[in-house]
Amino acid sequence: MARIVMKFGGTSVANLDRIYNVARHVKREVDAGHEVAVVVSAMSGKTNELVDWVQNMPKVAGADSPFYDAREYDAIVASGEQVTSGLLAIALQSMGINARSWQGWQIPIKTDNAHGAARIQEIDGADIIRRMGEGQVAVVAGFQGIGPDNRIATLGRGGSDTSAVAIAAGVKADRCDIYTDVDGVYTTDPRIEPKARRLKKIAFEEMLEMASLGAKVLQVRSVELAMVHKVRTFVRSSFEDPDAPGMGDLMNPPGTLICDEEEIVEQEVVTGIAYAKDEAQISLRRLADRPGVSAAIFGPLAESHINVDMIVQNISEDGSKTDMTFTVPSGDVDKALAVLGSNKEKIGFDVVQSEKGLVKVSVIGIGMRSHAGVAATAFRALADKGINIKAITTSEIKISILIDGPYAELAVRTLHSCYGLDKN
């Protein structure tokens, strides 16, 4: 017998038939004698609808400002998960399974006060553990907790993944199964490279890089939590037949296991290729090369909640001037330019240039730590295809390369092939 947390995303619970299918997955684990908690997202599209209502209400009410109380935003958008948890509990009860729904505040999942993007601070899993021990399935509304102001607080988009991993850590689960519309983590996006392979295992650090660099299988914070608390996490498909062979395998169910590096016996040099579209590059020309110039640039951008990624600095031959180039999401370019413009005198640049429509392609693998020449292989392969590199950043287990948008798919396929990821 094991203690399992199962999480189902929006497409998995998109309608009543799919919620019934989820109930069949849950029943399989209950019938096997396991203690089960289930975390659910809102039905597909529901959160977007609720957010749209929130954003339009001030306009309908004739307000001069489009702003609204973030606490009320949370009260509204959290309702999507509450509906799903209740419906799944009813489906399980109809199948003869002892189940009840839980809201985040009932557990309680305690968060900080950052409404709309709250972080989990503490989970008291004692009551759920007791109920699970008595044979009751806990169906938990994901994406939400309770803040210090005693109000519902949501965890940001994709927060149900974080809820599931946090609950798994809180109840000391043997594993956390993230059910989604894909059947695992692939070496790259199969829509771009049909030869992409499903990975049997991937290390927490690699998955963290994949998630933060463009792979949309899991939310970044959920991977961080899994790594910190060493929660063995499986990415699985909810669309496979719940009773298909192997689906009930406790140790090796179909899907991809995200686990500690020590569990991976045969480590590949490169595990996967990720990409992020809609990147933009901003360059500040002829800055005075003096102490504090970087803080003068990136401090105001951080205060405006603009996420800066790749940073490249070029210093003139005499050391008096420097150019600073960095990337931001394309949607933040105008905001970033406004911030830089208002701080021009303090920063001291001559001219600012920007370019949208770029793509960041990343090569990821824990095997890079002990292998030389990984970067050179990528640069040579891209050069052979005539792809120009605009910027490069590296870490111990990743290389990120900025290129023009139209070359994205060619670059992904080229890198996937040059590291042999298209071979079994």
Side-chain angles (χ1 to χ4, degrees):
M1 185 180 72
R3 184 174 293 160
I4 299 172
V5 173
M6 308 169 73
K7 182 265 173 179
F8 294 89
T11 53
S12 303
V13 293
N15 53 47
L16 296 184
D17 286 336
R18 289 190 180 176
I19 291 173
Y20 169 69
N21 188 60
V22 165
R24 290 179 60 211
H25 279 286
V26 176
K27 186 177 187 298
R28 180 191 65 236
E29 304 297 352
V30 172
D31 289 347
H34 303 312
E35 296 179 359
V36 179
V38 189
V39 178
V40 290
S41 298
M43 299 166 81
S44 182
K46 181 54 67 176
T47 300
N48 288 339
E49 181 183 29
L50 294 169
V51 170
D52 187 61
W53 289 353
V54 171
Q55 292 174 341
N56 281 292
M57 193 68 251
K59 301 175 190 174
V60 173
D64 295 330
S65 168
F67 296 107
Y68 46 79
D69 189 331
R71 294 165 298 185
E72 302 306 339
Y73 168 93
D74 278 355
I76 294 163
V77 299
S79 65
E81 281 72 17
Q82 294 174 23
V83 169
T84 313
S85 62
L87 288 172
L88 179 55
I90 290 171
L92 290 168
Q93 291 165 5
S94 301
M95 298 164 75
I97 295 171
N98 181 10
R100 66 152 281 189
S101 63
W102 294 76
Q103 314 313 320
W105 61 268
Q106 293 174 310
I107 293 174
I109 299 173
K110 296 180 180 178
T111 73
D112 62 19
N113 214 21
H115 285 276
R119 287 186 172 270
I120 295 172
Q121 294 186 326
E122 180 187 353
I123 292 181
D124 183 356
D127 202 11
I128 280 188
I129 290 172
R130 179 179 62 81
R131 299 289 190 101
M132 290 167 71
E134 294 171 354
Q136 186 177 77
V137 174
V139 185
V140 183
F143 176 60
Q144 61 179 260
I146 185 166
D149 56 0
N150 210 33
R151 300 285 299 268
I152 290 174
T154 62
L155 308 179
R157 299 307 292 264
S160 293
D161 286 349
T162 304
S163 298
V165 173
I167 288 169
V171 303
K172 296 180 171 55
D174 295 284
R175 73 171 199 240
C176 179
D177 292 354
I178 306 289
Y179 286 83
T180 181
D181 53 1
V182 295
D183 61 352
V185 180
Y186 280 72
T187 48
T188 196
D189 188 341
R191 293 170 297 181
I192 288 181
E193 176 49 87
K195 294 180 181 177
R197 292 181 294 108
R198 188 176 73 188
L199 297 164
K200 190 171 183 61
K201 293 182 180 180
I202 183 170
F204 289 125
E205 289 178 83
E206 292 173 319
M207 191 66 238
L208 188 58
E209 292 286 8
M210 295 273 277
S212 63
L213 294 169
K216 294 182 171 55
V217 179
L218 287 174
Q219 192 211 41
V220 174
R221 273 196 287 163
S222 69
V223 184
E224 289 175 347
L225 269 177
M227 184 165 65
V228 169
H229 296 284
K230 296 192 182 301
V231 177
R232 299 175 84 249
T233 305
F234 279 91
V235 177
R236 307 179 62 177
S237 172
S238 63
F239 297 116
E240 292 188 32
D241 184 343
D243 300 318
M247 289 295 285
D249 189 328
L250 177 62
M251 299 307 296
N252 294 294
T256 299
L257 171 63
I258 306 166
C259 60
D260 197 89
E261 184 180 336
E262 295 173 359
E263 282 197 54
I264 302 174
V265 179
E266 295 183 16
Q267 294 179 356
E268 302 289 339
V269 177
V270 171
T271 300
I273 311 295
Y275 69 96
K277 292 183 177 179
D278 295 323
E279 296 284 311
Q281 181 174 274
I282 295 176
S283 297
L284 301 177
R285 304 297 185 192
R286 294 177 292 282
L287 290 145
D289 188 26
R290 55 179 171 76
V293 68
S294 295
I297 296 168
F298 301 114
L301 292 172
E303 290 169 6
S304 299
H305 306 290
I306 297 169
N307 184 36
V308 174
D309 186 18
M310 308 173 81
I311 302 173
V312 178
Q313 184 175 6
N314 297 310
I315 301 172
S316 63
E317 190 174 351
D318 64 4
S320 64
K321 295 288 183 181
T322 184
D323 290 344
M324 188 77 76
T325 299
F326 54 91
T327 62
V328 298
S330 287
D332 286 341
V333 169
D334 293 339
K335 186 179 177 182
L337 293 176
V339 170
L340 294 168
S342 63
N343 287 273
K344 182 176 181 179
E345 188 174 329
K346 182 179 177 183
I347 297 169
F349 59 86
D350 277 0
V351 65
V352 59
Q353 299 169 332
S354 64
E355 183 180 4
K356 296 182 180 180
L358 305 179
V359 169
K360 178 175 62 180
V361 182
S362 301
V363 179
I364 299 152
I366 51 178
M368 289 186 193
R369 290 177 180 149
S370 55
H371 286 77
V374 178
T377 299
F379 303 153
R380 193 180 307 113
L382 294 178
D384 289 345
K385 296 293 184 181
I387 301 172
N388 186 47
I389 297 172
K390 292 179 170 290
I392 303 162
T393 57
T394 63
S395 74
E396 222 183 5
I397 66 167
K398 75 112 191 294
I399 303 159
S400 289
I401 301 165
L402 191 69
I403 61 172
D404 288 317
Y407 292 98
E409 294 191 11
L410 176 60
V412 168
R413 288 195 295 268
T414 298
L415 294 173
H416 192 266
S417 175
C418 81
Y419 291 113
L421 296 175
D422 51 354
K423 297 171 183 163
N424 291 323

